[in-house]
Amino acid sequence: MDDYRDTPVRPYILTSGRAHPSRNTIRPETLLVVDPDSAPPVSASREHRALLDMCGGVLSLAEAAAHLRLPVSLVVVIASDLVDSGHLSIRSAPRHSLPSAELLEKVLDGLRKL
């Protein structure tokens, strides 16, 4: 457990006591994008600024949480704040369509022949 680090600041303090984001559209696989020309808000916390700095390209919320070493639920609230203020935009990860029943039947037939 050498990687464990406890901090004196609890996660809910970083979100002003809020446990839920203002929007329910941000999921761990949601892609975060920031406009490189936009300046961070004046009232941005250290965590808000760190999230904006790392999202210069496209980064998933789960990846951002891992880099920040913060819980995903906390980063969802922070990202939601930045989306609401217009400093961050989100893109849903592409959803893959399900394979056709015909293809699944062929795979099943092939497995049965093994």
Side-chain angles (χ1 to χ4, degrees):
M1 289 235 169
D2 293 331
D3 292 338
Y4 178 77
R5 65 178 179 107
D6 193 16
T7 61
V9 178
R10 295 289 166 229
Y12 62 85
I13 299 296
L14 301 175
T15 61
S16 302
R18 291 175 297 127
H20 302 288
S22 62
R23 56 187 66 235
N24 291 330
T25 57
I26 301 177
R27 302 180 38 84
E29 67 272 11
T30 300
L31 302 175
L32 307 174
V33 183
V34 68
D35 179 10
D37 297 329
S38 70
V42 176
S43 62
S45 68
R46 181 173 42 123
E47 290 75 22
H48 285 84
R49 290 179 188 278
L51 182 60
L52 287 172
D53 287 344
M54 76 175 53
C55 292
V58 177
L59 189 68
S60 75
L61 185 117
E63 291 172 310
H67 287 297
L68 292 171
R69 293 184 172 190
L70 293 173
V72 171
S73 58
L74 178 71
V75 178
V76 169
V77 175
I78 293 170
S80 179
D81 290 346
L82 292 169
V83 170
D84 290 345
S85 68
H87 293 89
L88 189 67
S89 61
I90 57 175
R91 293 186 202 160
S92 295
R95 300 212 177 220
H96 301 287
S97 62
L98 296 175
S100 67
E102 180 183 334
L103 176 62
L104 292 175
E105 287 291 332
K106 288 180 181 180
V107 170
L108 186 57
D109 289 341
L111 289 172
R112 285 182 182 147
K113 290 179 183 178
L114 291 177

